[in-house]
Each structure stands twice: as C-alpha cells, then as structure tokens.
Amino acid sequence: ILTGSPENHAATRARDFDVIGLKERNRNRALEIEPGDRIVLYATRVMAFAGSMRVEGELYEDREKIWPGKPGKVDPYPWRFPTSPEVVLEESEWVPAESLVTELEHIGKWPREHWKLAFQGQIRPVSDHDAKMLLDRMTAATGART
C-alpha cells in the first residue's frame, strides 16, 4: 500500500499511472519492490483506496518533479518504477478504508479505535489476503470497469 495525498494521486493519474516514486528516506523499501508487484494507492485525508498499479520494470533514480508533496517538505520521490494501471477508480468510487477495518489483517495490528495508524508512513507491504481483498473491493467499486 502506497500512501499519498489526493494531490499526489492526481499527479500520478495525470501521467496515466505510468510511474510511481518513493520518498528519499524509503530507498531500502524501494529495493524490495520487484516487477510484477501490485501497488494499492491509499489517499490521505479522505482515507480511501483509490486504485492499484502494477510495477512494470526495475527501480531507477530520477529527481524530476512530478508530485507536489507537502508544502515546506519538498521531496522529489526519487526512487521510481515504471508502472501500469490495474484498477482505476473515479474519486466517487474510492473505497473508504474504514469499511475494511474488520477485514484487513494489516489493520488488525492496531487497536480498532486507532485503525488510521495502519496507514502512517509512505509504503507498507500487506499479506496476500489483504491484497486480494483490496483488489476485489476496488474492482467491485468500478462495476467491473477496469
């Protein structure tokens, strides 16, 4: 799961989901990502899953500005991967994370009342169970349109 602002999501969407980048501090996490991996996009503030992408190639470094990031915390998200869209949701279709609190294993690591902590930080791996659950829910939200 890759956590980002709705503004960063819009920038990724504007490029037709052809690239994703990780923050400077997440290089070690980036080294764990491989072609074929799925990245599920989680939008902050609205606390919803916005779609998924597939990693299509190897890690590379690029510092061209694509994503706006947080004001005052400029980060070029330099650890990048070529990607392709897997499930693309319109904003009205985004799947509220709260609707999955009792179903996602990842969220179960925190007390129920603190489920939002499960999505702190930019990127985190989840179980195959959670990946399937997220893909199924997002696909259903599109009405089978992908």
Side-chain angles (χ1 to χ4, degrees), residues 42-49 95-98 115-116:
Y42 174 83
T44 60
R45 295 196 312 273
V46 293
M47 298 175 287
F49 297 100
V95 177
E98 192 166 16
W115 69 267
K116 295 173 192 170

Side-chain angles (χ1 to χ4, degrees), residues 1-5 21-23 25-26 28-30 32-33 37-44 48-49 97 104-110 115-128 130-131 134:
I1 298 174
L2 181 74
T3 297
S5 69
L22 273 63
K23 291 180 179 181
R25 69 174 181 249
N26 287 328
N28 286 340
R29 293 273 174 121
E32 297 172 6
I33 296 172
D37 284 353
R38 171 180 295 128
I39 295 178
V40 172
L41 303 170
Y42 174 83
T44 60
F49 297 100
L104 292 176
E105 293 170 349
H106 177 71
I107 293 175
K109 297 175 186 175
W110 286 266
W115 69 267
K116 295 173 192 170
L117 294 174
F119 304 106
Q120 297 291 313
Q122 187 189 22
I123 191 159
R124 75 220 30 86
V126 296
S127 67
D128 289 342
D130 285 2
L134 288 165

